[in-house]
Amino acid sequence: MKPLEGLRIISIEQYGAGPYATLHLADLGAEVIKIEDPTSNGDVSRAVIPYAQNNDSLFFQSLNRNKKSISLNLKSNEGREIFERLVKSSDAVFNNLRGDVPEKLKINYNHLKHINPQIVTCSLSGFGTTGEMAKEPAYDYLLQAMNGHMSLTGEPGAPPSKSGISIVDFSTGMMAALGLMVGIFQAKNAGIGSDIDVSLFDTSLSVLNYLAIWHLNKEYEPVRTKHSAHPTLVPSQLFQTKDSYVVVMCNKEKFFPLLCEELDAPELATDKKFSNFQARLDNKEELINQLETIFKTRTSLYWLETLRGKVPIAPVNTVQEALHQPLAMQRDMIVPVDSMNFGTIKMLGTPIKVSSYSPCYKAAPFLGEHNKEIYNELGYEREYEQLKTSGII
C-alpha cells in the first residue's frame, strides 16, 4: 500500500512552488487532481522553454509526475457545480494563487465547509492571504531580494547575488506540503477542516533563522564573507586547490586538530591563537592565509582522499558532476520515466524514502487526461460531451 493511498487533493496550481509541494505527496501515493483552465491551455509551465512541445515541457514534467489532470472552467456556474461535487469526495483543496484570489474564487474553508466540514484548504501565495501585500504577485527572485538573501550571497564588494536555483519556491513548496498534511491530520482527529496559509514571504524570512535571532536580540549585522565562509565558524569555507575548489567545514572543535594533522601542520592546532572557535574567529585572517597556501599545493582529489572520513569536505561540483555521482544512483535519485512527448526521460526521484514502499513514477499528465475518469466518477457520464462542447471542461 502506498503511504498516502486514499488521500485525495484537488490542486489549483501552476508553475513552480505549488506543483513542487504536491509533487512529493503524489510520489507517496496521494491522488493529486490538477484543475487546469481549458481556456488558457492549462498550467503555464507547459510552455516553459527550452524543451517545450505539444503543450508539454520538461519543466512541467519535472513538477507534475504522478498527478492527474482535469480541465475545468471554475469561473462558470457549471464548473463551480462540478468543483463542489469534487470537494465532497476530497480531503484537501490546494492552490498557489495570489493571496487575495482564493477568497474571490471562494475556494477557502469558509466557502467550502458546508459541502465538506473536514475539507482542508491550503493556500501558497507570495505574501500570504492577510496583510497589506496580499494582492501583490511575488516570485522567488523578488523574495530573495526583499528578505535579505541576496545581501548575504556573493563575494564581499561584489553586487548582491541570487541563489542559482529557485530556493524560495522550493522551500515554500516543502512548507506547504507539511502544512497541508498537518491540516489533514488535524481534520482526521477533530472532524473539522481549516485554512492553511503559507507564503514565499514568511518562508524566506523564516529561513534567516539564526541570523534573525542574532540580529533581533543582539543587533548582529550579517555581511557577505570571502570564499562563502561561515559567519563565525573558522575554518568553514571554500578553499582553492591546485586544480579547482573544495569546501571544508570545521563546525565542531574536534575537526580542527584533525585537519591540521592531515595538512601536515600540527603546530596550528597547538597555537593559542587558534585554540578554539572564538580564538580562530579573532585571528581568522592569519589562519586562513596559512590554510589557503597549503590547500593550493595539492589537487582537489588529493584533499578529498586525504580528508574524507576525518574532516567534513566536499568537492565543488558542476550540475553535470552532481547528477553523475555514484551516490545519486545508489540513493535512487535518478529515475527513468516514460512520457508521451519526450520518450523515456530521466528525472530526480523523491528524496523521501519509506522502507515499506518503492515509488512508481508516471509521467505528468497531458491537459485533461483524466477528464473521463473523474467526471464519470462524479456522475457526469451523460453530460460529458456537452460539457466539453460548451467549454466547461
Side-chain angles (χ1 to χ4, degrees), residues 110-131:
N110 189 50
H111 292 290
L112 301 178
K113 62 184 179 182
H114 69 286
I115 302 168
N116 181 351
Q118 292 193 57
I119 197 71
V120 174
T121 62
C122 181
S123 177
L124 188 167
S125 62
F127 297 107
T129 61
T130 61

Side-chain angles (χ1 to χ4, degrees), residues 57-296:
S57 71
L58 288 182
F59 184 95
F60 180 80
Q61 287 291 328
S62 72
L63 293 161
N64 293 283
R65 65 168 177 240
N66 285 334
K67 301 179 186 179
K68 295 180 179 179
S69 168
I70 62 172
S71 53
L72 181 64
N73 185 349
L74 283 174
K75 295 180 180 179
S76 65
N77 291 333
E78 297 92 336
R80 179 69 187 189
E81 180 184 335
I82 293 171
F83 171 73
E84 291 187 355
R85 192 176 295 189
L86 188 55
V87 168
K88 289 181 182 179
S89 62
S90 299
D91 298 284
V93 175
F94 174 83
N95 79 83
N96 70 316
L97 304 170
R98 202 178 62 214
D100 62 321
V101 176
E103 174 65 28
K104 292 179 179 179
L105 286 180
K106 299 180 179 180
I107 58 173
N108 48 25
Y109 184 69
N110 189 50
H111 292 290
L112 301 178
K113 62 184 179 182
H114 69 286
I115 302 168
N116 181 351
Q118 292 193 57
I119 197 71
V120 174
T121 62
C122 181
S123 177
L124 188 167
S125 62
F127 297 107
T129 61
T130 61
E132 63 182 11
M133 297 183 72
K135 295 182 179 181
E136 296 192 31
Y139 300 94
D140 181 288
Y141 200 162
L142 302 184
L143 269 301
Q144 287 194 44
M146 184 175 183
N147 279 348
H149 296 207
M150 290 180 64
S151 75
L152 300 170
T153 307
E155 289 293 304
S161 300
K162 75 177 185 70
S163 170
I165 59 173
S166 302
I167 193 65
V168 174
D169 273 353
F170 294 147
S171 57
T172 306
M174 288 186 279
M175 284 292 188
L178 174 61
L180 187 62
M181 295 307 297
V182 168
I184 292 171
F185 181 83
Q186 181 186 47
K188 297 291 186 184
N189 283 336
I192 299 174
S194 59
D195 284 316
I196 307 296
D197 186 355
V198 180
S199 71
L200 300 181
F201 178 83
D202 292 354
T203 300
S204 57
L205 206 59
S206 172
V207 298
L208 292 179
N209 197 271
Y210 62 88
L211 294 179
I213 197 170
W214 290 350
H215 175 78
L216 291 171
N217 296 278
K218 299 296 182 180
E219 298 184 350
Y220 175 81
E221 291 294 340
V223 296
R224 277 175 278 164
T225 56
K226 185 179 179 182
H227 291 166
S228 300
H230 189 280
T232 61
L233 302 183
V234 180
S236 293
Q237 65 171 66
L238 180 78
F239 285 101
Q240 185 175 0
T241 66
K242 191 173 184 178
D243 59 349
S244 57
Y245 295 89
V246 294
V247 168
V248 173
M249 285 199 70
C250 291
N251 59 336
K252 293 182 179 180
E253 288 286 13
K254 69 177 184 178
F255 291 134
F256 183 65
L258 291 173
L259 174 66
C260 295
E261 181 180 344
E262 296 301 328
L263 296 184
D264 198 21
E267 69 280 2
L268 295 179
T270 57
D271 192 324
K272 289 185 178 181
K273 290 182 293 185
F274 312 133
S275 61
N276 55 45
F277 280 136
Q278 188 62 55
R280 291 195 293 277
L281 180 61
D282 293 341
N283 298 283
K284 179 178 178 178
E285 185 174 356
E286 181 181 349
L287 174 60
I288 295 303
N289 285 342
Q290 295 187 61
L291 294 180
E292 286 180 333
T293 299
I294 296 172
F295 272 103
K296 287 178 182 178

